[in-house]
Amino acid sequence: MPSTPVSPLQAEVNRLRLELETLQANNAVEPIEIGNYLLARLEQLKVTKIFGVPGDFNLGFLDLVEDYRTIDWVGNCNELNAAYAADGYARVKEHSIGVVLTTFGVGELSAMNGIAGAFSEMVPVLHLVGVPSTVQQGSKAVLHHTLGDGRFDAYLKAAENITISQGLITDKETAASTIDRVLTDCITKARPVYLTLPTNMVFERISSERLKIPLSPAWPLNDPDIESFVVEEIMKLATSAQDDMVILVDACVIRHGVRDEVNDLVEKTGFPVYAAPMGKTAVSETYERYGGIYVGSVSHPEVKEKIESAKLILSIGSVKSDFNTANFSNRSIPSRTVELHSDHTKVQHAVFPAIGMKQLLPRLTARLEACSVAARNIRIPDPSAVVPKENNEIITHTWIWPRMGKFFRPKDVIVAETGTSYFGILDIPLPEKSVLLSQMLWGSIGWTVGSTLGAAFAVRETGLNRTILFIGDGSLQLTVQELSVMLRHGLKPIIFVINNGGYEIERCIRGRHRKYNDISNWKWTGLLGVFGDPSMSQSYTVHTKTELSALLDSASFAEAGKIQLVEIMMQMHDAPRALKLQSSA
């Protein structure tokens, strides 16, 4: 995903030029080490951080990384957290990719849960693995980090299930084309890719001529005749619906780079727009025609009625997972639904392969714009959240999330752990140009800590505002080490730790009073002092509404001049409205 949008036609021209360069490659022209060739490509993709853990099979490449002027090495505490960080970095820095570097075997297997999450949630991440030399692999040497049986493809076979494309660098002649192919797949398909770099290939020199041609997403061109037919079919449905149409946006609007096209559609047509949970912040939640979150039976009644009674639903980039649809309770009736996806379009019961939304949306907007006068007369629900008046000082989920809504600022990046935090923040409209990160489909608890690290780096580079993490005490215990990396690099997130004595989301599902949902209670306010210089951080514990409100209203706290951790004491068995409904379903 280059910083400057590239047309599908230009992308195809670039691809063909690269193929020609492969045939004409001349190693005498500006030779460059294979490792530096890869770094140059990452620089072109606006990558400035590489996450990971050093290991003997990647140390040679790390020498090049450390000496590279525009890319920094971020040493993580373990490979799993590094993969989470690369995921968070890519989500915030939408026109780039995340990169995680591991060593062969032990390192790459440790990272695979994080890579699988990025695959599940469609996040472009390069998993780069330093591997033994081609000579060692060819002789099937019994090396450390192997399974002891001479199989050097065992980890590749595992990676094939959780990456969209794989590349093995085995010789000088094909190294550049292998790198380019894998990176192009990553930015085109918005999924993780896997690339191995043998120790004896890192410093081999190849032609740098291909670097003159930028990589670009190779989006296929829509067939113009079929696309025209699809537009006409949608317009027939829109006419029949007499402008009673709603727009429902979801995760793939973000993942497949159509925010601008969708915003153009909703602003020019004026149709009411709602978001599925995974699509939260895909459109501005301060936009006057935004009506809130639709999540099937868990939705607020008025939102549910507006969506499910509409004569036509224009669904853009939907992900039909259980949590995203409240256990599949979304009432998406095919006879009155049009679905736009990155690689196909569905109009009622008819599916049109290879008609992608990137090119279809502008044509559809041009036609639907004529409906704008009538569309703007359709009433929408008020999505605002009011802080309730509760006659006690207990910090409850009913109170805390609307109260937090008043603390958020435009361009904040908010990271919400899968659990009480994410379900609590669903109903809270977020400010202009804010970003919400969550992992609702993969749902690996502890993901948010590493993701916050990556996000905080991306926030620095993109001109966004604060990085704010909400996480439960149970989830934080899985990946807490990355707080030390945040301190080492001078990052300044605000971390809210919900202390309710264990895994509350699990208690909502099963085992309300079971010991397996309990955890050890840590001294949370002492953590930052253990992990780094105490003068670079500040920690708090709040027990009451008054204490929390006073902290949120403090100018010095809100300015986030240093990393801050806030332990929020909450009652066991209290949970947000949406989580209670979801778990009961």
Side-chain angles (χ1 to χ4, degrees):
M1 289 173 288
S3 57
T4 302
V6 176
S7 70
L9 181 59
Q10 184 60 54
E12 179 63 12
V13 170
N14 288 348
R15 186 188 68 79
L16 293 173
R17 289 173 64 199
L18 283 171
E19 292 301 320
L20 183 61
E21 281 297 337
T22 300
L23 298 174
Q24 297 177 341
N26 179 358
N27 288 337
V29 179
E30 300 183 47
I32 188 173
E33 296 90 349
I34 291 174
N36 274 325
Y37 181 95
L38 172 57
L39 290 170
R41 279 303 194 201
L42 295 179
E43 180 183 19
Q44 290 175 353
L45 293 175
K46 311 303 180 186
V47 172
T48 65
K49 299 290 183 291
I50 294 179
F51 304 91
V53 177
D56 50 357
F57 292 119
N58 65 29
L59 295 179
F61 179 69
L62 271 175
D63 284 342
L64 295 180
V65 174
E66 190 160 315
D67 293 338
Y68 203 82
R69 184 176 56 85
T70 61
I71 296 178
D72 299 322
W73 169 248
V74 180
N76 295 89
C77 294
N78 60 57
E79 292 88 355
L80 173 61
N81 289 346
Y84 288 163
D87 182 321
Y89 180 90
R91 290 183 192 231
V92 174
K93 198 170 179 182
E94 291 182 18
H95 300 294
S96 186
I97 66 172
V99 181
V100 57
L101 172 66
T102 67
T103 195
F104 176 66
V106 293
E108 57 183 310
L109 291 179
S110 180
M112 279 191 176
N113 177 39
I115 299 300
F119 184 91
S120 174
E121 303 231 345
M122 296 165 289
V123 183
V125 172
L126 167 65
H127 185 187
L128 178 62
V129 184
V131 300
S133 72
T134 56
V135 175
Q136 290 170 320
Q137 292 185 56
S139 66
K140 297 187 177 181
V142 180
L143 300 178
H144 61 289
H145 299 341
T146 70
L147 299 173
D149 57 5
R151 287 186 296 144
F152 283 85
D153 64 347
Y155 314 129
L156 166 65
K157 290 180 178 178
E160 287 174 345
N161 294 282
I162 56 172
T163 56
I164 200 68
S165 180
Q166 304 81 39
L168 310 180
I169 296 176
T170 57
D171 55 61
K172 294 169 52 176
E173 288 69 31
T174 60
S177 60
T178 298
I179 291 169
D180 291 352
R181 171 182 61 80
V182 167
L183 291 179
T184 299
D185 287 343
C186 186
I187 62 178
T188 300
K189 300 172 183 176
R191 300 269 190 176
V193 294
Y194 176 87
L195 181 66
T196 63
L197 182 55
T199 54
N200 63 325
M201 290 284 108
V202 175
F203 298 102
E204 287 287 340
R205 297 175 75 82
I206 60 175
S207 171
S208 63
E209 194 68 19
R210 288 173 63 102
L211 291 174
K212 297 177 182 178
I213 305 168
L215 301 180
S216 54
W219 292 308
L221 291 167
N222 288 350
D223 183 293
D225 293 334
I226 299 176
E227 184 180 73
S228 295
F229 178 80
V230 168
V231 170
E232 292 304 323
E233 291 300 300
I234 296 173
M235 290 306 301
K236 289 177 186 177
L237 293 176
T239 301
S240 177
Q242 297 178 324
D243 302 319
D244 184 8
M245 183 173 84
V246 297
I247 298 170
L248 180 62
V249 298
D250 207 344
C252 290
V253 169
I254 303 169
R255 303 291 190 266
H256 290 284
V258 293
R259 277 187 195 263
D260 291 343
E261 290 83 354
V262 168
N263 284 327
D264 196 46
L265 170 70
V266 299
E267 290 173 6
K268 287 182 177 178
T269 65
F271 284 108
V273 58
Y274 301 83
M278 288 179 67
K280 188 172 172 65
T281 69
V283 297
S284 171
E285 298 188 353
T286 62
Y287 174 53
E288 61 183 7
R289 303 297 292 159
Y290 172 74
I293 298 292
Y294 174 64
V295 53
S297 61
V298 172
S299 309
H300 278 292
E302 189 176 5
V303 172
K304 184 174 184 294
E305 189 276 331
K306 290 292 185 182
I307 294 285
E308 296 179 0
S309 66
K311 293 179 181 177
L312 184 61
I313 301 171
L314 184 60
S315 171
I316 309 177
S318 67
V319 177
K320 298 176 183 178
S321 68
D322 52 356
F323 276 7
N324 204 38
T325 61
N327 292 333
F328 311 108
S329 63
N330 278 18
R331 293 189 60 193
S332 179
I333 300 173
S335 62
R336 56 187 184 86
T337 303
V338 172
E339 294 183 18
L340 307 186
H341 295 275
S342 62
D343 59 358
H344 73 280
T345 299
K346 185 176 181 181
V347 181
Q348 295 180 308
H349 299 279
V351 178
F352 298 89
I355 300 298
M357 59 185 173
K358 184 76 174 178
Q359 299 158 57
L360 179 61
L361 276 166
R363 291 192 63 182
L364 194 56
T365 298
R367 295 292 302 277
L368 288 172
E369 191 171 1
C371 307
S372 62
V373 174
R376 293 182 193 278
N377 290 326
I378 302 173
R379 196 180 69 82
I380 60 170
D382 180 3
S384 60
V386 178
V387 181
K389 296 185 182 298
E390 297 180 343
N391 296 322
N392 59 65
E393 282 291 310
I394 299 170
I395 300 174
T396 63
H397 282 285
T398 304
W399 178 86
I400 190 174
W401 299 110
R403 178 63 186 87
M404 284 293 176
K406 296 184 177 299
F407 174 70
F408 298 141
R409 296 176 176 177
K411 295 187 177 183
D412 278 347
V413 173
I414 301 158
V415 190
E417 181 68 36
T418 302
T420 55
S421 299
Y422 184 75
F423 283 94
I425 210 166
L426 268 184
D427 294 331
I428 308 305
L430 300 180
E432 181 72 15
K433 296 184 179 179
S434 57
V435 178
L436 176 68
L437 302 188
S438 68
Q439 199 190 53
M440 199 170 194
L441 178 52
W442 186 242
S444 184
I445 65 171
W447 167 84
T448 53
V449 184
S451 183
T452 295
L453 170 66
F457 276 119
V459 164
R460 278 182 175 179
E461 299 169 17
T462 55
L464 293 169
N465 195 7
R466 304 172 299 183
T467 305
I468 303 172
L469 166 62
F470 293 96
I471 187 169
D473 50 353
S475 295
L476 182 53
Q477 289 190 1
L478 273 76
T479 50
V480 69
Q481 308 98 310
E482 291 318 294
L483 297 181
S484 66
V485 183
M486 297 177 195
L487 281 159
R488 179 157 56 93
H489 288 277
L491 300 174
K492 302 172 184 177
I494 301 174
I495 302 162
F496 291 100
V497 182
I498 296 175
N499 187 341
N500 51 19
Y503 303 118
E504 196 56 47
I505 186 171
E506 311 294 4
R507 291 184 181 125
C508 288
I509 297 170
R510 189 177 179 88
R512 181 176 173 84
H513 301 289
R514 292 290 185 176
K515 293 180 181 179
Y516 54 67
N517 284 324
D518 298 339
I519 63 170
S520 300
N521 187 34
W522 291 4
K523 187 176 179 181
W524 297 104
T525 53
L527 283 178
L528 295 177
V530 170
F531 286 136
D533 182 351
S535 67
M536 297 174 61
S537 65
Q538 184 70 49
S539 297
Y540 312 83
T541 297
V542 294
H543 297 82
T544 67
K545 292 184 175 79
T546 298
E547 289 176 351
L548 179 54
S549 283
L551 184 61
L552 297 178
D553 290 339
S554 165
S556 60
F557 174 79
E559 286 305 313
K562 59 176 64 176
I563 183 172
Q564 299 173 102
L565 184 148
V566 183
E567 178 186 18
I568 304 176
M569 305 305 297
M570 299 187 70
Q571 292 188 327
M572 188 182 296
H573 305 312
D574 184 25
R577 177 197 69 87
L579 178 55
K580 291 177 181 177
L581 292 172
Q582 176 85 28
S583 57
S584 66

